[in-house]
Amino acid sequence: MPIRHVFVDIGGVLGTNGWDREQRQRALERFKLDKTDFDFRHQEIVGDWEEGRMSMDEYMKLTVFYCPRDFTPEEFSEFVFAQSIPFPESIAAVSELSAMRTHVMMTLNNESAELNRHRIQTFGLSGLFSAFLSSCWLNARKPTRAFFDRAFGVSDANPAESLLIDDREQNIVRAAELGMQTIHCVQPAGLREQMVNAGLLPPGN
């Protein structure tokens, strides 16, 4: 089937993850937080945050600022945002495809609204995609069936004519089960070659 829709994950493909284990570990070290306590509090509510039922302010209040601290919420949130670093090579490959105007292109990612907006701006993604389908706006997370069904509904996409670019195997497996074509991006610098092999981009650049 020809590919009409291309869905691209952000964290791990177009840039670093926003608030995954590595980023949280840095925060624990930087702000000297108790790992066991923070991890428990985080796991209890991260689903609500990423599915749009909680603001970042409430997330921070319940995981960090439930007691007095020697740093401010502004300092903590600034640190969180600073963990987002773009990957120029993969962004360039996606930008090349976007400029061709041959496919409908959207992001498909798990993320809170605040981080998603920050990363769209920081990574310069606004002009590359026609929509940003994030868990915070779909009220579901990959790799659940509800997430993909809502994404297909919003985008009016046929799974058999759609391709997902993602760095996580569990998301790739679920997408394939639903009939999508996939690119498992484990090295962002090699994404262009994978897109060439999938017939999305011409060789030689």
Side-chain angles (χ1 to χ4, degrees):
M1 294 287 287
I3 299 170
R4 301 185 184 278
H5 285 78
V6 175
F7 296 97
V8 185
D9 184 33
I10 295 180
V13 175
L14 301 180
T16 58
N17 288 313
W19 193 232
D20 211 338
R21 293 181 183 88
E22 182 180 355
Q23 291 75 33
R24 297 197 302 271
Q25 181 60 38
R26 293 196 194 109
L28 293 175
E29 295 169 0
R30 164 65 176 81
F31 296 102
K32 298 179 175 57
L33 299 173
D34 179 83
K35 176 176 173 54
T36 300
D37 179 71
F38 177 82
D39 285 349
F40 175 79
R41 292 172 178 274
H42 167 82
Q43 293 300 332
E44 284 282 291
I45 62 172
V46 65
D48 287 333
W49 188 31
E50 290 191 344
E51 292 180 16
R53 296 187 295 272
M54 177 181 295
S55 69
M56 185 173 183
D57 286 344
E58 188 175 4
Y59 170 83
M60 291 192 300
K61 181 177 181 180
L62 293 175
T63 56
V64 179
F65 295 98
Y66 57 89
C67 66
R69 300 292 186 183
D70 59 0
F71 53 90
T72 67
E74 291 74 22
E75 289 174 313
F76 190 84
S77 62
E78 183 178 339
F79 179 89
V80 173
F81 290 135
Q83 304 312 300
S84 293
I85 308 298
F87 296 153
E89 296 91 347
S90 55
I91 291 176
V94 169
S95 179
E96 182 181 348
L97 179 61
S98 178
M100 292 168 60
R101 306 294 180 188
T102 51
H103 299 80
V104 178
M105 300 183 62
M106 302 180 178
T107 63
L108 204 64
N109 61 303
N110 291 339
E111 205 151 72
S112 69
E114 296 89 348
L115 272 173
N116 207 25
R117 292 189 184 98
H118 171 77
R119 287 150 68 78
I120 289 168
Q121 180 179 8
T122 301
F123 295 176
L125 305 181
S126 293
L128 306 185
F129 298 97
S130 58
F132 298 91
L133 305 184
S134 180
S135 60
C136 59
W137 297 312
L138 296 182
N139 304 126
R141 289 191 292 175
K142 288 184 294 185
T144 65
R145 180 63 183 262
F147 179 94
F148 283 99
D149 283 348
R150 291 171 190 177
F152 296 145
V154 170
S155 62
D156 191 28
N158 177 354
E161 296 178 328
S162 302
L163 181 143
L164 173 66
I165 301 174
D166 203 294
D167 67 310
R168 299 203 171 182
E169 184 176 3
Q170 64 265 36
N171 297 331
I172 291 293
V173 169
R174 174 50 64 92
E177 290 174 349
L178 297 176
M180 298 179 75
Q181 301 176 59
T182 62
I183 291 177
H184 189 191
C185 177
V186 295
Q187 293 292 337
L191 178 58
R192 189 186 191 281
E193 182 178 354
Q194 290 181 287
M195 293 172 70
V196 170
N197 293 338
L200 297 175
L201 292 176
N205 290 345

